[in-house]
Amino acid sequence: MLYSCRVLFLVFCSLVPFCDAAGTGFVEPVTSPAVSDDGTVQLVWGSSGGVVSHEVRRSDSADFEDSTLVYEGKDTATFVSGLPEGEHYFKVRSKSAGGVYEDWPKESFVLKVEYIDGRLVAVLMTAGFITFVAIVGTIFWGHRNAGDLA
Amino acid sequence: MILFPKIVVVALVIGALTLTAASLIALILMALKDRKSRKLW
Amino acid sequence: MFQNETVLDPNVGWFLLALFGVLWVSLGLYWGRKAKSLDGFMLAGRNVGLALGSATAMATWVTSNTIMLVPQFGLKMGIWGLLAYSTASFGLFLFAPMAKRIRSLIPKGYTSGDFVRLRYGKPAWVVFLLISFFYSMAWLVSMAMAGGIVLEALSGIPYPYGMSVVLLVCVVYTLVGGLYAVIGTDFIQSGIILLGVVVVGITALMNIDLGVAYDKTVATKPALLNALMPVALLSLFNNMFFGFGEVFHNNVWWSRAFAMRKAVVSKAFRTAGFFWLPIPIAVGFSALFATSLGINITDIDMTGPLIAAKLLGSAGAVILFVVIFCSLGSSIDSLLAATSDLIAEDVFKKMIVPNISDASLRKASTFIIVGLGVLTWLICLPRVGNLMTVLFYAGPFVGSAIWPIIAGLYWSRANQAGAVSAMVSGSAVGLYAYSAYGWYTASLIATVVSMIVMIGFTSISQSTFDWRKLNETHAD
């Protein structure tokens, strides 16, 4: 039942241009490339009866040379974090009991990590620091001078 | 990217656990002291 | 959802709920014998000592959010995420001198609302109460929801049942024992929380070689160790001001300031700050190194339970279950008590029935506690929204209240126009920032705007406030 649903979903998505992530095997995020401003992404992929293990790998190049293992096991989701800025490519594949891993899908899921504009960070950090000093200073000096009602 | 040095990270983790354990001991000792001097509440 | 079954058998979960539920309610009944008068019920006789005072301040500030959100911060934002969370303890440190000032200015006060009404007048008081109620309900709801979700994740107890039982237990013992029950149970709960954090932390440490884990994180998730991680740096001041706003304005902390013996009030908050300071790092470092622990996080909301389950198995899951129940209890009871005090004193007595006797007010408080519990339960039942959104949305409101409070305590020229304008403009701009820039800017921007407005109005003011007007008693 789950397998047929997955097939139907993939057929549907192949006919609809915006379901870009469908060919990669990931069901979440829905579109590829996806954008992250903090280097994190929740990856969810499908499974079907008989599958005992999934393998998710990440590469920093589109040709998927030199990949690192992200996850290997029975789960169908993983939360990835700590990614530096740039483009990251993910692929997932499965294997059944007693079998070997299938071939990697042709397409990768692409995640573009673009950190928040540094200027915004600098402005807000400066404002935050000044405000922090002002708060501490107000309490500190107020405490020192509040001798009249001790 | 500037990274926190290894020694800093290790010190933070071990320091935090040590401080938490010390807090537990301090809390118990403070309560015993207050109870002895009838100043619990 | 994506994981195997729960680690804790549901029957064990129910047993633990029943065991600790009966314990807290029994203690509530026992200590409730001291809570006959209004001062006894609302303020534990205004004589709480250093140990209990420190414990209640620390335990109240360790919420189920601390146990649940801290690992998420560690997982998403690494070291800076945990350090940013730790700055919530600064609110306790800074409230220490403020608490002493509060006791000096309003020795017979009951609530934070009393201060704002006497200091600034009715319009500011109304705005302040609206902010306070909104935040208090957001906090109550987020904790009740978190409790239900975590209990379900750990033990399979269905969310509606777990959430309901936790709320019911807290309502009952707060009802029968007032602030004596709240503070007494907080002391026991604080000990359990600290012990649990130490046990889980040391277990995690035994399973990680920190040096190897560090190297692996540098190789695969370097941003978690980034000393200049943008989102984390932003969240540093945002979290800090959120914490300041929560502590400076909310009656949970003001009621403790009124409840403690004047000689120890400042030291108690400072001590609580030191107790709280290391907890985010002690709780969150295992999430940061989850991959090195061989743990796959399938759902960020489940980070904490997943790590506990993997590291500790059933026995450890029991510890986490109990720690979370304690952290829930220690905060929900405080919120129920303090919010009902605010409604009883500021709305019921000051707005509706000014001549009500203390004995009748004490009775009214019990009904209000039940009402708050029911309202919270109704909001939580449908399980709408994720954890962060529910609480962080209140950030701009509490951030905007920081400057009216501290200026009101220390600056005689701080005035009503400034206070109202600061709270309204800070909240409005902060809410806008929430949607325009993200949650990690909302409290920060609200506080900055509120500061500018408050300083502006204070600097152009010609009049000064007579501090003696704050010395109100219930006989007046």
Side-chain angles (χ1 to χ4, degrees), chain C residues 19-223:
Chain C
L19 180 72
F20 282 93
V22 166
L23 175 64
W24 304 142
V25 170
S26 304
L27 288 172
L29 284 165
Y30 178 67
W31 284 322
R33 297 171 311 158
K34 296 156 83 85
K36 297 301 177 208
S37 68
L38 185 71
D39 270 24
F41 189 79
M42 280 191 179
L43 299 175
R46 299 185 190 264
N47 207 35
V48 175
L50 179 62
L52 292 183
S54 307
T56 187
M58 186 224 86
T60 300
W61 210 209
V62 176
T63 69
S64 57
N65 292 338
T66 315
I67 309 297
M68 290 291 281
L69 286 184
V70 160
Q72 295 184 34
F73 268 63
L75 185 66
K76 286 186 93 166
M77 291 184 277
I79 290 284
W80 256 126
L82 300 179
L83 288 172
Y85 215 104
S86 285
T87 63
S89 64
F90 293 6
L92 295 176
F93 287 125
L94 288 174
F95 197 68
M98 289 169 66
K100 193 173 175 188
R101 177 76 171 158
I102 289 164
R103 288 300 294 271
S104 300
L105 288 176
I106 338 173
K108 293 295 178 192
Y110 283 87
T111 68
S112 51
D114 281 342
F115 171 74
V116 174
R117 173 178 49 83
L118 293 166
R119 181 66 181 81
Y120 290 125
K122 283 201 174 143
W125 179 44
V126 170
V127 174
F128 176 80
L129 286 178
L130 287 171
I131 288 176
S132 204
F133 289 140
F134 174 69
Y135 163 74
S136 297
M137 286 310 301
W139 191 8
L140 252 181
V141 163
S142 75
M143 273 190 307
M145 279 179 67
I149 290 168
V150 170
L151 297 188
E152 186 176 65
L154 279 180
S155 68
I157 292 174
Y159 168 83
Y161 298 139
M163 181 270 296
S164 303
V165 167
V166 167
L167 256 183
L168 179 69
V169 166
C170 292
V171 165
V172 170
Y173 78 76
T174 306
L175 194 63
V176 300
L179 200 64
Y180 275 113
V182 169
I183 288 179
T185 53
D186 279 0
F187 177 77
I188 300 171
Q189 288 154 354
S190 65
I192 293 173
I193 289 166
L194 288 172
L195 182 63
V197 169
V198 167
V199 167
V200 174
I202 288 178
T203 306
L205 209 55
M206 283 161 53
N207 283 275
I208 309 177
D209 179 328
L210 281 178
V212 169
Y214 176 91
D215 294 333
K216 191 172 177 183
T217 307
V218 168
T220 57
K221 305 180 176 195

Side-chain angles (χ1 to χ4, degrees), chain A residues 46-109:
Chain A
S47 186
S48 50
V51 167
V52 297
S53 183
H54 307 275
E55 184 186 7
V56 179
R57 295 190 79 91
R58 172 177 68 88
S59 172
D60 291 339
S61 59
D63 57 13
F64 222 72
E65 296 286 323
D66 212 24
S67 63
T68 52
L69 179 69
V70 172
Y71 169 72
E72 185 171 7
K74 275 202 79 168
D75 298 338
T76 55
T78 190
F79 187 86
V80 181
S81 64
L83 297 172
E85 276 193 302
E87 283 191 355
H88 305 278
Y89 302 84
F90 295 87
K91 287 190 181 186
V92 63
R93 63 180 181 178
S94 315
K95 76 172 176 186
S96 302
V100 296
Y101 277 112
E102 60 201 18
D103 291 336
W104 290 110
K106 280 209 186 73
E107 280 180 60
S108 305
F109 165 74

Side-chain angles (χ1 to χ4, degrees), chain C residues 309-326:
Chain C
K310 173 75 183 204
L311 270 180
L312 304 159
S314 305
V318 168
I319 295 173
L320 186 76
F321 189 99
V322 171
V323 166
I324 284 172
F325 193 16
C326 287

Side-chain angles (χ1 to χ4, degrees), chain C residues 208-386:
Chain C
I208 309 177
D209 179 328
L210 281 178
V212 169
Y214 176 91
D215 294 333
K216 191 172 177 183
T217 307
V218 168
T220 57
K221 305 180 176 195
L224 295 186
L225 299 169
N226 185 359
L228 296 174
M229 191 180 186
V231 168
L233 285 179
L234 270 179
S235 75
L236 174 69
F237 285 114
N238 191 74
N239 258 28
M240 201 190 298
F241 295 159
F242 197 159
F244 288 2
E246 292 180 273
V247 176
F248 293 2
H249 101 277
N250 199 266
N251 199 47
V252 164
W253 312 101
W254 283 68
S255 61
R256 269 150 187 76
F258 289 124
M260 294 183 208
R261 200 173 299 125
K262 191 180 171 189
V264 305
V265 66
S266 200
K267 193 171 177 188
F269 276 100
R270 224 167 27 245
T271 307
F274 277 114
F275 286 172
W276 204 96
L277 182 68
I279 286 178
I281 298 174
V283 169
F285 80 92
S286 49
L288 206 168
F289 296 126
T291 314
S292 299
L293 285 165
I295 300 173
N296 177 41
I297 306 295
T298 53
D299 178 358
I300 190 160
D301 279 347
M302 293 299 129
T303 306
L306 283 169
I307 291 172
K310 173 75 183 204
L311 270 180
L312 304 159
S314 305
V318 168
I319 295 173
L320 186 76
F321 189 99
V322 171
V323 166
I324 284 172
F325 193 16
C326 287
S327 61
L328 285 167
S330 63
S331 309
I332 293 176
D333 64 5
S334 304
L335 259 177
L336 284 170
T339 310
S340 85
D341 289 351
L342 200 64
I343 295 171
E345 169 77 5
D346 285 76
V347 178
F348 205 68
K349 181 175 170 70
K350 293 293 190 293
M351 290 183 186
I352 301 172
V353 191
N355 297 323
I356 190 170
S357 68
D358 280 1
S360 299
L361 196 60
R362 188 220 175 284
K363 231 184 232 170
S365 298
T366 58
F367 285 108
I368 294 167
I369 289 171
V370 174
L372 279 172
V374 170
L375 180 61
T376 306
W377 182 77
L378 287 171
I379 296 172
C380 289
L381 207 51
R383 195 173 171 173
V384 176
N386 73 58

